[in-house]
Amino acid sequence: MVSNLPLFLDGEFVESKSKKTLEVTNPLSQEILCHVPCATKKEIDQAVSSASNAFLTWKETPPPERARLMMAYQALLKEHQEELAEILSQENGKTLEDAKGDVWRGIEVVEQAANIPTLLMGETLENVAREIDSYSYTQPLGVCAGITPFNFPAMIPLWMFPLAIACGNTFILKPSEQDPMTPNRLAELFVEAGAPKGILQVIHGDKEQVDHILTHPEIKAISFVGSVPVGQHVYKTGTENLKRVQAFAGAKNHMVVMPDADKQRTVENLVGASVGAAGQRCMAISVAIFVGQSKEWIEDLKEEMKKVVPGPWNSPTSGFGPLISKAAKERVLSLIETGKSEANCILDGSDYEVKEFPDGNWIGPTLFTDVPTESSIYKTEIFGPVLLTMNVDTLEEAISLVNSNPYGNGTSIFTASGRTARKYRHEVEVGQVGINIPIPVPLPFFSFTGWKGSFYGDLHAYGKQAVRFYTETKTVTERWFQGEDSEGANLTIKLE
């Protein structure tokens, strides 16, 4: 019998009273793994009330004590990395090694959260005016919430709640309904690490539950990662309800290939960055711009892509797994079919099958050449194992092409020239740039800094920017009087 996944409310895993549930299926076989409930409004209100009550004591917990919780948590995550990866692979479809990477990149953020005392330090200056000193404190907001996508069910929740909680906030997590088992296990381990009751709640559901979170008056800040339309909805609705919002949305990431680059390494990196995780990454390279004679490498790229074999998560020969759902597969297949009338498809993975898993959501590596900028496959984030190529004569043309795209999540350039690399990283209008690095996702002591249509908000995920997002600054200006004589009323704004 398939079980219902519990909610995590007020420090306990409880069965939802909701009559509406959604199926969580294995992308390999369509086997139903569990049913995920769509939490009732009363349950969401209960979660927020519990988080609000917990905040009253948690905000007073010394930062070193919060740091020790994060140290204990990261140790448990490392101990259970393989187990978490197996859960993740079964509900998401990623290969085991890719799933381990998903978990590990989350662990790195938890390690950074363990450094929270230093990150929370304020500023001070003595004698800003005569015998007057100023200093600042960093204080938490209150109840924060995170809405996370299917493609990184470990990493992205771990981007959010550990840092928010380390800052002194409490947190409501609403993970993707397509792979919610991994986030539930993250919550179990957080409790095992010693997390006090109420500082983390896990709510399940779909748009209705998200909208209730976005409009709840006691929630102070919202973090979101997902598609462009949903990201825009989250940002608009959240800010209209006077909340602080960071919304990470879609992308169309370009790699520029210079003719002086190391050919074999460039081709290999391009293959991994474009079809790894079945292309279901917001930082995947989906467009390769070949400059000058490097266009002659496209045939080599095709042959290298042919070598990548999709398959089940637990096979060491699998290059990547199935897409997350049948609906996702049908959407990508439709875009591939449209693309065939817009560009030249030289490698078509539409009919790819895995005999042992005939019901899997399979699409093989797919490669288009001579793709025009006005085509729908160029304008749309495909989110599948599909790579588009374009040819230009100069670096300046490549930069212009990238800058004219409405998205600005990530980009990379492969070259042997420091001068070329510097020009590109200085002039390109994209928030995260890789130089001979195909997927330049920053480590968590930096921040994840998407630009343009890839991000709505002001302060980005993890790193110092996330600490600022999850906190307020209180500035104190003080003077202690000496002696008995008063200098009279100061009727100006000047400090004297």
Side-chain angles (χ1 to χ4, degrees), residues 16 54 204 312:
S16 174
H204 296 296

Side-chain angles (χ1 to χ4, degrees), residues 323-364:
L323 273 71
I324 186 66
S325 67
K326 284 190 174 295
K329 176 182 176 179
E330 291 306 314
R331 177 184 172 277
V332 174
L333 287 177
S334 175
L335 284 164
I336 291 174
E337 197 59 33
T338 299
K340 291 174 183 176
S341 65
E342 300 175 321
N344 184 22
C345 184
I346 64 170
L347 181 62
D348 185 1
S350 300
D351 298 325
Y352 191 87
E353 294 180 353
V354 176
K355 291 181 180 179
E356 298 86 352
F357 297 95
D359 296 324
N361 307 318
W362 305 109
I363 296 180

Side-chain angles (χ1 to χ4, degrees), residues 210-229:
V210 168
D211 285 343
H212 193 50
I213 289 171
L214 294 176
T215 57
H216 199 291
E218 291 186 52
I219 294 176
K220 305 299 183 185
I222 305 284
S223 300
F224 168 84
V225 177
S227 68
V228 171

